[in-house]
Amino acid sequence: MEDLIQNEVVSDNGATIYIWHENRILENLPVWQVYGFCLMSNGTIPLVRDKNEKRFTFPGGRVDEGENPEEALIREFVEEVQFQPEKIKPLGSLEVIVKDINGNVINHHQQIRFICYADEAGEFIPYKNNFEVEERIFVKPEKLIDYISWLKSVTGQAQYQSFLKNK
């Protein structure tokens, strides 16, 4: 039995429970999003910032109909950071349970986290092909927490530790 690493975020609309499943993708639970920790050959990780946003995120996003999670990750990388990741490996899944104010589950899905690698990033063109990405930066792994606020949560720290173990 795995030890569950979880945290709960409560709001006026209800609560969201996040559960990290290291080295595991949950069967029969829809995959909503994918994100990748991509280790560049120089030891940095790419992050992106969309137009009208102040925060940076890992490359990734929604899984389109007919795509598997790895295909979605590759597509999102090409769209957002404008290069293709290599040696893609799942780190695990983040189970997300959204409840309304009465405690009823209104959404239950998972987000897959990957580790991947790349040698060269190449040129970056803001808004290429009408995508919303305005900026791409590269950050040392130990500085990620300065850019990605959810890495401070219990489940965020667990995902970060999974990345460090597998890099």
Side-chain angles (χ1 to χ4, degrees):
M1 178 96 186
E2 70 179 310
D3 289 330
L4 293 181
I5 297 171
Q6 66 181 38
N7 62 293
E8 183 173 2
V9 177
V10 178
S11 73
D12 292 341
N13 299 324
T16 303
I17 300 165
Y18 300 93
I19 306 168
W20 175 242
H21 300 273
E22 186 173 21
N23 297 317
R24 190 165 161 232
I25 296 175
L26 304 172
E27 292 183 32
N28 303 318
L29 190 61
V31 178
W32 185 257
Q33 294 179 320
V34 295
Y35 290 97
F37 289 83
C38 187
L39 191 59
M40 304 300 293
S41 58
N42 68 1
T44 61
I45 310 273
L47 299 177
V48 293
R49 185 179 59 78
D50 286 350
K51 181 172 117 178
N52 300 323
E53 289 281 341
K54 292 181 180 165
R55 66 183 175 96
F56 283 88
T57 63
F58 289 104
R62 295 279 310 264
V63 177
D64 288 344
E65 190 173 331
E67 279 183 322
N68 68 42
E70 188 172 315
E71 291 167 337
L73 184 76
I74 292 168
R75 177 185 49 76
E76 290 287 348
F77 261 75
V78 170
E79 290 173 1
E80 294 182 358
V81 292
Q82 301 172 16
F83 65 81
Q84 187 162 332
E86 300 173 355
K87 300 180 208 160
I88 300 166
K89 177 184 159 193
L91 290 173
S93 66
L94 184 67
E95 182 179 3
V96 181
I97 304 166
V98 182
K99 296 182 177 184
D100 65 17
I101 57 173
N102 297 317
N104 300 311
V105 174
I106 56 174
N107 193 323
H108 189 191
H109 63 270
Q110 65 183 318
Q111 301 175 4
I112 308 297
R113 301 294 190 250
F114 290 93
I115 185 170
C116 54
Y117 303 87
D119 289 326
E120 298 287 326
E123 180 185 18
F124 175 78
I125 301 167
Y127 315 116
K128 185 176 182 180
N129 298 325
N130 293 319
F131 290 107
E132 295 289 312
V133 178
E134 182 172 56
E135 187 176 3
R136 174 184 78 181
I137 63 171
F138 295 89
V139 176
K140 293 279 187 196
E142 61 271 15
K143 296 289 187 184
L144 285 172
I145 201 160
D146 296 337
Y147 293 88
I148 310 291
S149 62
W150 58 260
L151 286 177
K152 296 173 186 169
S153 71
V154 173
T155 53
Q157 278 293 299
Q159 293 169 65
Y160 179 69
Q161 293 304 316
S162 294
F163 159 70
L164 291 178
K165 282 192 282 188
N166 285 279
K167 72 177 193 160

